[in-house]
Amino acid sequence: AQTVTQSQPEMSVQEAETVTLSCTYDTSESDYYLFWYKQPPSRQMILVIRQEAYKQQNATENRFSVNFQKAAKSFSLKISDSQLGDAAMYFCAYRSAGTPLVFGKGTRLSVIA
Amino acid sequence: EAGVTQFPSHSVIEKGQTVTLRCDPISGHDNLYWYRRVMGKEIKFLLHFVKESKQDESGMPNNRFLAERTGGTYSTLKVQPAELEDSGVYFCASSQVLAGISYEQYFGPGTRLTVT
């Protein structure tokens, strides 16, 4: 069965600094998708960034970028120029074709002004 | 475009009572998913509808949980009778299917269920 592990229950970052959230996963599939979701205190979970496993290039979305290491089964999220609005729970998730999302336990990110 | 909505936002019930959660997906989204997060644990998949049909209900914990999606629109998740371990946040998500490909799942705000 696929599993997703987020080893950092909590992280903090100074405003304007950079932080990296870790995620590892386990799968025997070769074709799959990886996601980072953000859940602010208001609870609506939104997609931050996605990565297709067949793409070697790391996905980026403005201040958010990933470091996808397929052989190591690692998928970390880097947030640059952190802002107060980045404070949230961040969930790493995995999905292969026709399967539901498998989530990690989440990392609570605090941003210090 | 309205997002995924869920009702109620919070429900507190006693053990043995019944609760029904509702999810309204984004209009036009054939896929509808239910997930649950028990405090401090992973968000776990419960089941998946494609239109009104249950595609995958492998995550449903037991027969006290009943999900329906009448007419392929909104969905309900009924817990009867509720037990203490059912407490958690229940999320609904929906996604489009185009040319046989399922796209990103959009999540609702969740319903926080507390069973006392």
Side-chain angles (χ1 to χ4, degrees), chain A residues 4 33 35 37 39 42-47 50 89 91 95 98-106 108, chain B residues 4 9-10 33 35 37 40-45 56 89 91 102-105 107-112:
Chain A
V4 176
Y33 304 86
F35 307 86
Y37 281 89
Q39 188 180 27
S42 62
R43 298 190 296 150
Q44 188 95 32
M45 191 151 55
I46 58 173
L47 178 66
R50 67 174 271 170
M89 280 291 289
F91 293 98
R95 179 174 69 82
T99 66
L101 287 167
V102 177
F103 287 89
K105 287 188 177 182
R108 184 176 300 281
Chain B
V4 177
S9 58
H10 193 183
Y33 306 82
Y35 295 87
R37 185 180 186 217
K41 298 199 173 181
E42 297 91 341
I43 299 170
K44 288 283 185 72
F45 165 77
D56 180 356
V89 181
F91 292 101
S102 292
Y103 287 80
E104 276 84 344
Q105 295 182 26
F107 282 79
T111 293
R112 183 176 297 277

